[in-house]
Amino acid sequence: MRTARPCRPARPRAPRSGGTSSLQGHPARPRAPRSGGTSSLQGHPLCRDTLLPARTNGALWTPAGLRELAEELWSAGLPGDLPDLEPECRSLLAAFAEGSAALTGCLARRARPVRLCQGCHGHYRRLLAQYDSIARAVGNSSESHNCAKSILTSDRLHIVVTLSEFFNETWEAANCANCLKNNSEGLSNSTEEFLDLFNKSLTCFEHNLQGQGIDLSPNNYTEVCKNCNETYMKLNDLYNHLQRLNRQGGESAHSAHLCIDVEDAMNITRKLWSRTFNCSLPCSDTVPVIAVSSFILFLPIVFYLSSFLHSKQKKRILILPKRIQSNANLVNIQEKYS
């Protein structure tokens, strides 16, 4: 079988040197296609948009005529033409492409500050439905037109499968399921409560910064610390409560973390509170801590003092040694008992 070659513009031939050709000025006769096969330019993709400077009856083809000729050659088709997707499969692929582009744009726009789970859960849910439609769809005619086979596993790269796995891994790493309801149709009640307190905290910070005037010293945020302390404490307590609940009920590898939106919001608030505003939380248990520390400090002194007072004091008893009698008396005693 003859291999088709790409279309290339014909190069005009220069007249031979040393004389005038006998055919000079004679009208060119168009060549007929070779018998026993299709023209090598028929149906070639490069022929659709390339204008060929061919000659007919001594005149160049016009652009419109060449375009019409290329369309006719393309519509004729090659024997054993390349397989194309069924209309149903093509529409499914186009829907997945649009959904992937929409989700990618949403993730990129909401990267900082992180708002992935809040704003992109609708795009992610629709993309899952589109992928499931491709995986379950079957074409009209035969098994060869199975949409799942043609789109998902017909080549080495598996582009659609790779994109789907990337979005799934990103969504799982963000732990967005911890922020959403069971059906993933919206944010959970606890997440909405946390975000509401977070917005109130930021509003309080901004309001008190404006109230202190323009000439505010970088280290003087007393009004912010005093007026926003209650709101910040509520937010911090709610975050700790959500963390405890998540650790108790979680079984996956990411169970130790809340969703990325909540974690990022809490990190932002804590950095503003501690680093920017330099607000220190007053310890409400100061008196008990001081009392316990003092008791532990004086405990050894009390112990030794009580031991000294309540222990039995031993008096010193002097034992006087008995003097040994003289040798004469000792000799008399010995003689007496002998």
Side-chain angles (χ1 to χ4, degrees), residues 124-179:
Y124 178 72
R125 187 158 44 88
R126 285 190 291 272
L127 188 67
L128 288 181
Q130 292 164 354
Y131 183 83
D132 291 340
S133 299
I134 294 176
R136 292 195 302 262
V138 179
N140 298 326
S141 58
S142 63
E143 186 181 357
S144 62
H145 296 289
N146 188 336
C147 294
K149 181 179 179 181
S150 301
I151 298 176
L152 302 181
T153 60
S154 62
D155 55 78
R156 179 174 57 86
L157 293 180
H158 301 164
I159 297 296
V160 175
V161 177
T162 303
L163 287 175
S164 179
E165 291 177 353
F166 166 74
F167 289 127
N168 290 333
E169 291 174 359
T170 303
W171 201 256
E172 291 178 0
N175 286 326
C176 289
N178 293 334
C179 290

Side-chain angles (χ1 to χ4, degrees), residues 44 92 323:
H44 197 281
L92 291 175
R323 295 183 178 275

